[in-house]
Amino acid sequence: MRIAVSQLLSGTDPERNLQAMAEQAVRAADEGAAAVVFPEAAMARFGIPLGPVAQPLDGPWAEGVRAVAERTGLLVVAGMFTPAPDGRVTNTLLITGRGVDTHYDKLHLFDAFGFAESETVAPGDRVVTEPLDGVTVGFATCYDVRFPELFRRLADDGARVVVLPASWGAGPGKAEQWEVLVRARALDSTCWVVACGQADPATVGGSPAGRAPTGIGHSMVVSPLGEVVGRLGPEPGLLTVDLDPAEAVDRARAAVPVLTNGRADVLA
């Protein structure tokens, strides 16, 4: 399975971001990828009022993403914002293409490091897996990476690959935390983890929008044994990696059977 990771630097205009995504998707398809993963907040970056840019899953922005998936033949995973019933928005991954059309709403909201995502974003309430070319793929978003129980649940639900879009907050030690957490979740679940972050605004002369998590880059693909098999730096870029979700996962789970050795009878 070949997966492309598109480390975008989203701006505030959803249409311009969609155009950039379309260009990246064409590149990914030309490189033989089956899927392209875009970051959390690919629709529009954090640090602006999210209500005015949010659209429903059948709105024009989501339909534009579906058109990109149709034209390129890719599974496309992209972060967007959808209206929530209580007046907030939902931090949503649109997952579409290759016979799939679903979404995942971020479960764990980033109320940390001086930022309160829950003030404007409503949490999701379901775990999501979908098949891609016969392989079960699970989905998580950014701050979810700090909660190993989600990744364990995805593995228990059959996932062999977990896709993790993010818009990681900048700050001292944050890049190190990101790598440690991504690699740890691969080890916890003995899954491939495909982690796609927003690029660092500083690489193009920008700066973080206050305390909003606008990205640090450092997207990576990690094996079920925690090895980084592909990575990007802080700047925008496209990474294409070949995964072996059958043999590599089977080997890891035979060598380190954490999914079967757990003591749920004691720890539940």
Side-chain angles (χ1 to χ4, degrees), residues 179 183 218-221 228-233 239 241:
E179 177 164 344
R183 297 177 75 174
H218 297 288
S219 299
M220 66 189 78
V221 177
V228 179
V229 300
R231 70 164 79 226
L232 293 170
L239 170 68
V241 175

Side-chain angles (χ1 to χ4, degrees), residues 187-258:
L187 288 163
D188 292 339
S189 61
T190 47
C191 287
W192 289 94
V193 176
V194 180
C196 177
Q198 287 274 353
D200 186 343
T203 62
V204 295
S207 60
R211 293 178 175 174
T214 48
I216 62 167
H218 297 288
S219 299
M220 66 189 78
V221 177
V222 179
S223 81
L225 290 176
E227 304 156 308
V228 179
V229 300
R231 70 164 79 226
L232 293 170
E235 65 283 343
L238 183 73
L239 170 68
T240 305
V241 175
D242 289 312
L243 314 185
D244 180 357
E247 185 176 347
V249 172
D250 287 345
R251 285 199 309 268
R253 292 180 179 177
V256 192
V258 292

Side-chain angles (χ1 to χ4, degrees), residues 4 38 76 84 92 107 150 153 157 178 197 221 237 249 255 257-258 261 264:
F38 294 101
V76 178
T92 298
L107 290 177
L150 172 58
R153 166 66 184 277
D157 286 353
W178 166 247
V221 177
V249 172
V258 292
N261 287 349

